[in-house]
Amino acid sequence: MAPRCWRWWPWSSWTRTRLPPSRSIQNFGQHFSTQDQTPQICVVGGGPSGFYTAQHLLKHHSRAHVDIYEKQLVPFGLVRFGVAPDHPEVKNVINTFTQTARSDRCAFYGNVEVGRDVTVQELQDAYHAVVLSYGAEDHQALDIPGEELPGVFSARAFVGWYNGLPENRELAPDLSCDTAVILGQGNVALDVARILLTPPDHLEKTDITEAALGALRQSRVKTVWIVGRRGPLQVAFTIKELREMIQLPGTRPMLDPADFLGLQDRIKEAARPRKRLMELLLRTATEKPGVEEAARRASASRAWGLRFFRSPQQVLPSPDGRRAAGIRLAVTRLEGIGEATRAVPTGDVEDLPCGLVLSSIGYKSRPIDPSVPFDPKLGVVPNMEGRVVDVPGLYCSGWVKRGPTGVITTTMTDSFLTGQILLQDLKAGHLPSGPRPGSAFIKALLDSRGVWPVSFSDWEKLDAEEVSRGQASGKPREKLLDPQEMLRLLGH
C-alpha cells in the first residue's frame, strides 16, 4: 500500500463530514451541464472484477461513463499481484483491461483508497450507481499457537512478495531451511510450492521481482509438504496446476499409495474434471513410472508431497523460541458425505519438522466503510444478485460479492451479471434521475484532502519504465515496488 506521508489531514476531520457549503454536491451543479443525462457509474477496485464490470457497462450502454477507483497506484489487481510469474499467458487479459481503460467513457484513478480518502456515501452522492469490486485483500488466519513466530507467513503475503505487491516488498522470508510446509491444497498452495522448487534459471525471464529471484537463488529449501485437512477427493487445486508440479524439472513427487486405497471405485461417479484430476493423482501415487520418468525422479534433488488428513494444531518453536522449527498436525478422519464431508480429529498427532510455514487456507474480504453492510462470517457484502442489501444504488461484483473462489473466468461471468443487473435497474428507473457530477466532484474533494490520483496514462508511463528496466536482463518487465519512487517518476 502506498505510504501516505504527503497527506496532512487528521482522520476524524473528514471521514464523517462533507465539503464546506461552497464546494458541496448541491453547489457543484454550476460546473455540470443539466442537459447531460449520461449515467455516471463508479467502480471501486481496479482488479479483474472491476474491469470486467466496467467492460460490460460500457459495451451494453452507449452513453454510460465509468470511473474506476483503486487504492494501489497501478491497475489490474490479482492479475498483476496474484498470477504466478511463470503463467504469463493468464496475464494476457491485461490487454482487454487496457482497451477498457483507454475508452473515452472510462477513467482510472489509482492511489485512492475508498473508505479512507473518500467515503462510499460521497461516491453515492456523486454517481448514479456505485459497484464495489475491491476483492479479498486479507487472508484467513490459522488461529493456532505459534502462528506469530518468524518463519510463518500467509501464502497471500508470500505471493505478494515475489509478485511485487508494494506492501509485501520487505517480507524477506528466510529460505535457509531444508523443509517448507504449506497448509492448504488449492491452486495458490501449488503456485507457492512450484515457485519454491522451480530452478531459478527457469524464472529469470519472467516478471518475478529481482529481490525474490535473488532469494530463490540462495534458497536451501529441498522439500515442500502440501498439507490438507481432508482427503484426495476434496483437494481444491485443478489438473493444470497438478500436472505442472508432477512435471517440474529437478523434483520428484512423494505420494503415499495408502491415501488412495479404494479411490478408484469412488471416482467413477465424479464429474469429468474431478475424475480426470483424481485419475492423474492415482497414477502418480500408485503406478510404477516408466524408465525415463524413473531416471528423472532418481536424479531429482528436490521433492514435494501431499499430506492428507492432517490439520494444523500448533507451530513448534526452535529451542531458543525465536523462530518456527516445525508444525504439530492433528490426524483427522472424514465424517459426512458429499459436500458436507468434514475432517474431525482422531486424537493422534504428528510433528513435522520445517523452517518455513506458509498458510494457504483462503483469502477474505475486509469491510470497506461503516455505511456498507458486511458479513464477517462469510467475508462478503450481503447482496441479492449483486444488489447490496438495503442500500439502493450500491452493487458488488467478484470476490466481495461471492467469496474468494473460482478462476478469472468465474469472476468475468459474475461481474458481467452484476453489470447486467445494474443496467436493468437503470432502465427500470430504479436509480437516481437527473445529472450527477461524477469524477469532477470527487477529484475536487480528493484535491482538498491532499490526495493525488494516478491516471491510466500515468500508469502507462510507469509501465514503460518497468518494461525498459526489464529489457536489460531479458525480462518482460522489472516491477516498480516503491510507491514513493513511482510518484517521483510521475513528477509528484
Side-chain angles (χ1 to χ4, degrees):
M1 188 172 66
R4 302 291 168 131
C5 56
W6 59 89
R7 291 180 167 78
W8 46 263
W9 67 92
W11 164 267
S12 59
S13 68
W14 62 264
T15 48
R16 302 200 183 280
T17 60
R18 293 287 176 271
L19 283 175
S22 62
R23 299 281 294 284
S24 72
I25 194 95
Q26 290 82 3
N27 294 315
F28 207 87
Q30 62 191 315
H31 304 287
F32 187 78
S33 166
T34 53
Q35 306 302 309
D36 192 342
Q37 293 300 309
T38 298
Q40 296 284 345
I41 302 166
C42 157
V43 172
V44 179
S49 60
F51 270 98
Y52 279 130
T53 303
Q55 180 187 327
H56 186 91
L57 294 167
L58 294 167
K59 182 179 178 181
H60 295 280
H61 194 297
S62 61
R63 299 187 65 198
H65 185 97
V66 181
D67 292 329
I68 301 171
Y69 293 90
E70 165 59 48
K71 81 171 200 175
Q72 300 293 337
L73 274 77
V74 299
F76 312 133
L78 277 185
V79 179
R80 177 177 166 96
F81 297 123
V83 173
D86 58 348
H87 284 175
E89 71 288 350
V90 182
K91 303 186 190 197
N92 289 339
V93 71
I94 283 176
N95 299 328
T96 308
F97 296 163
T98 297
Q99 282 182 326
T100 299
R102 284 176 176 165
S103 162
D104 56 7
R105 294 186 292 121
C106 184
F108 172 82
Y109 300 104
N111 196 37
V112 177
E113 185 170 351
V114 173
R116 182 167 80 175
D117 300 336
V118 60
T119 67
V120 171
Q121 184 58 60
E122 285 163 340
L123 292 175
Q124 287 195 274
D125 289 346
Y127 290 89
H128 292 99
V130 175
V131 186
L132 303 175
S133 308
Y134 62 88
E137 57 182 347
D138 212 345
H139 68 279
Q140 297 282 2
L142 291 169
D143 291 329
I144 59 172
E147 185 175 8
E148 73 295 336
L149 284 167
V152 182
F153 302 96
S154 72
R156 184 194 180 283
F158 191 78
V159 169
W161 168 71
Y162 65 63
N163 271 334
L165 184 61
E167 68 194 61
N168 298 131
R169 69 188 188 276
E170 300 189 357
L171 197 73
D174 182 354
L175 306 180
S176 64
C177 59
D178 176 78
T179 302
V181 168
I182 301 170
L183 301 168
Q185 293 182 331
N187 281 341
V188 174
L190 263 58
D191 278 349
V192 167
R194 194 178 67 254
I195 295 297
L196 278 171
L197 294 175
T198 295
D201 56 340
H202 288 228
L203 296 171
E204 282 174 354
K205 305 303 180 190
T206 72
D207 67 0
I208 192 170
T209 67
E210 201 51 53
L213 188 58
L216 289 165
R217 282 197 184 104
Q218 303 297 317
S219 171
R220 295 182 192 166
V221 175
K222 294 284 183 278
T223 305
V224 176
W225 288 106
I226 305 156
V227 178
R229 289 175 299 123
R230 299 190 291 173
L233 275 173
Q234 288 80 33
V235 295
F237 52 74
T238 49
I239 194 165
K240 176 182 180 285
E241 280 68 24
L242 176 62
R243 197 177 284 120
E244 285 179 315
M245 285 302 297
I246 292 167
Q247 296 168 354
L248 193 62
T251 70
R252 60 187 171 84
M254 298 183 294
L255 300 175
D256 184 352
D259 287 334
F260 298 86
L261 290 173
L263 210 62
Q264 188 73 59
D265 295 331
R266 295 176 64 194
I267 62 176
K268 286 174 184 170
E269 307 302 315
R272 189 166 179 268
R274 173 67 40 173
K275 188 177 179 183
R276 288 176 61 228
L277 173 65
M278 289 303 113
E279 286 169 347
L280 179 56
L281 265 177
L282 260 173
R283 284 198 303 275
T284 309
T286 60
E287 290 183 8
K288 190 176 178 183
V291 176
E292 197 177 314
E293 177 63 10
R296 189 188 76 82
R297 291 184 189 181
S299 65
S301 60
R302 295 177 170 188
W304 62 274
L306 295 168
R307 294 289 274 269
F308 299 106
F309 309 109
R310 301 289 185 273
S311 180
Q313 252 194 359
Q314 180 187 352
V315 178
L316 302 170
S318 55
D320 62 7
R322 294 176 67 175
R323 57 170 298 107
I327 187 150
R328 179 159 295 161
L329 301 168
V331 180
T332 63
R333 60 182 169 77
L334 296 184
E335 279 188 1
I337 52 170
E339 292 296 310
T341 305
R342 61 191 189 95
V344 295
T346 62
D348 294 333
V349 296
E350 67 177 33
D351 293 348
L352 189 56
C354 62
L356 180 65
V357 177
L358 295 160
S359 164
S360 183
I361 57 171
Y363 289 24
K364 69 175 183 182
S365 298
R366 297 172 181 162
I368 193 170
D369 189 296
S371 69
V372 178
F374 189 78
D375 183 330
K377 191 175 179 188
L378 297 176
V380 296
V381 171
N383 69 92
M384 299 286 285
E385 298 182 302
R387 295 181 184 96
V388 175
V389 173
D390 297 332
V391 191
L394 190 61
Y395 300 82
C396 56
S397 70
W399 282 2
V400 79
K401 170 185 172 184
R402 70 176 194 277
T405 58
V407 291
I408 285 180
T409 49
T410 326
T411 293
M412 178 182 74
T413 307
D414 168 271
S415 302
F416 287 177
L417 285 170
T418 291
Q420 193 178 318
I421 290 289
L422 190 159
L423 292 176
Q424 281 174 16
D425 288 354
L426 184 66
K427 192 175 180 182
H430 297 324
L431 296 179
S433 59
R436 290 285 171 110
S439 63
F441 176 70
I442 297 300
K443 283 197 286 186
L445 199 58
L446 293 170
D447 185 56
S448 75
R449 292 169 181 170
V451 184
W452 195 68
V454 172
S455 69
F456 199 78
S457 61
D458 287 334
W459 150 246
E460 291 184 312
K461 291 172 194 164
L462 297 176
D463 178 44
E465 176 66 21
E466 290 187 344
V467 170
S468 168
R469 291 185 184 191
Q471 279 172 343
S473 48
K475 297 174 70 175
R477 69 178 62 245
E478 187 58 54
K479 288 178 182 172
L480 296 163
L481 308 182
D482 181 0
Q484 296 288 27
E485 183 189 6
M486 294 185 214
L487 290 167
R488 279 198 302 275
L489 287 167
L490 295 173
H492 187 70

